[in-house]
Amino acid sequence: MFLIIKRIMDVMGALIGILVLFLLMLLFFAIYQLGENKGPMFYKQVRVGKNGKRFEVYKFRSMVIDAEEKLLKNKILYQKYLKNNYKLEQEEDPRLTKFGKFIRNTSLDEFPQFINVLRGEMSLVGPRPVVDIELQEYKERVQEFLSVKPGITGYWQSGGRSTVGYPERVDIELYYVFNRSLQLDIKILFNTFVQVINRKGAY
C-alpha cells in the first residue's frame, strides 16, 4: 500500500512541478541565448537508479558547455573535487556561471527532475541518485542502497543537504532505505522546503 500511495504522490507532485518547469523555461529562455550561459537549457547526466539501472537525470544547466573537460584539465582541482565528496565550493568552481550559482542556491536547477519522477526513474523522496564513481563509497552495502528509487530530495538533503559528506552520507541514505514510510516522506518534503527557503547546504 505504501508504494502505491508513494507513486500517486510522485505523479501528482511531478505534474505540479512540470507546470512550474514550463514557466521557468519561458523565463530562462533568453538567458540561455547570451554570454557565458549560451547553449542548451538542460544538462543531462547518467546516474545510477534502482537495481543499478542507469538513466539520464535532467537539470537546468548551471555550468559552461565544456564543464567536465575544464575540470579534468585542472588536475589539482579535480583531486580536490574527488576528496571533497565529488563537489567544489562555488567560489572555486571554474565550471559554474553566475546564473548557475543563482539557480543552484535557490534549487531551481532541480526542477527538470520532475520529468524523471513522472517517467518513474525517480521519486519525490529517496536517496540522491549518484554517478558510478560514488558507488564505491557504499562498498558491500551498495545493493541495499540501490534497492529503492532515487529521489529529488531525501533524508540526506533534509538533514543538512550537501554539507554532509561521505562516509556519513552512506548511513544517512541507508537510514531512509530501512525506515521509509509515508510519514517520513512527508517530514522529508517539509524539511527540504525549509532548507531550500533558508538556502542551506545548496551546491
Side-chain angles (χ1 to χ4, degrees), residues 65-92:
I65 295 296
D66 58 345
E68 299 307 316
E69 292 81 359
K70 201 166 189 177
L71 178 60
L72 289 171
K73 285 180 180 178
N74 190 327
K75 297 186 182 302
I76 295 176
L77 205 58
Y78 182 66
Q79 288 303 313
K80 187 171 184 179
Y81 165 81
L82 294 177
K83 291 178 181 178
N84 194 37
N85 298 296
Y86 312 99
K87 59 181 178 283
L88 294 169
E89 296 290 345
Q90 289 189 5
E91 295 73 21
E92 64 181 349

Side-chain angles (χ1 to χ4, degrees), residues 19-29 60 108 111:
L19 286 176
V20 177
L21 172 62
F22 282 135
L23 293 176
L24 292 174
M25 288 171 63
L26 292 174
L27 290 172
F28 294 168
F29 177 78
F60 279 121
L108 293 175
F111 267 84

Side-chain angles (χ1 to χ4, degrees), residues 43-57:
Y43 169 73
K44 297 185 293 182
Q45 186 181 46
V46 175
R47 300 289 180 95
V48 187
K50 184 178 180 180
N51 298 323
K53 184 179 179 180
R54 271 64 178 174
F55 68 98
E56 289 185 325
V57 69

Side-chain angles (χ1 to χ4, degrees), residues 32 39-47 56-68 81 95 103-104 109 112-113 116 131:
Y32 284 101
M41 183 178 294
F42 298 109
Y43 169 73
K44 297 185 293 182
Q45 186 181 46
V46 175
R47 300 289 180 95
E56 289 185 325
V57 69
Y58 299 103
K59 287 189 174 187
F60 279 121
R61 183 171 56 83
S62 59
M63 298 182 178
V64 293
I65 295 296
D66 58 345
E68 299 307 316
Y81 165 81
R95 302 169 298 170
I103 59 176
R104 282 198 178 188
D109 64 319
Q113 289 172 39
N116 293 114
V131 295

Side-chain angles (χ1 to χ4, degrees), residues 102-169:
F102 166 72
I103 59 176
R104 282 198 178 188
N105 287 336
T106 55
S107 295
L108 293 175
D109 64 319
E110 307 280 358
F111 267 84
Q113 289 172 39
F114 284 109
I115 296 173
N116 293 114
V117 174
L118 192 61
R119 290 170 58 169
E121 298 162 333
M122 292 177 64
S123 179
L124 293 179
V125 180
R128 282 297 293 165
V130 298
V131 295
D132 278 286
I133 194 173
E134 288 181 81
L135 290 179
Q136 65 187 0
E137 303 290 345
Y138 291 85
K139 300 177 182 177
E140 71 279 358
R141 308 183 76 181
V142 66
Q143 295 306 317
E144 296 169 348
F145 171 68
L146 296 176
S147 66
V148 301
K149 284 183 184 179
I152 292 181
T153 187
Y155 198 62
W156 169 61
Q157 285 177 295
S158 67
R161 302 177 73 197
S162 299
T163 58
V164 181
Y166 295 114
E168 292 84 0
R169 176 177 165 181

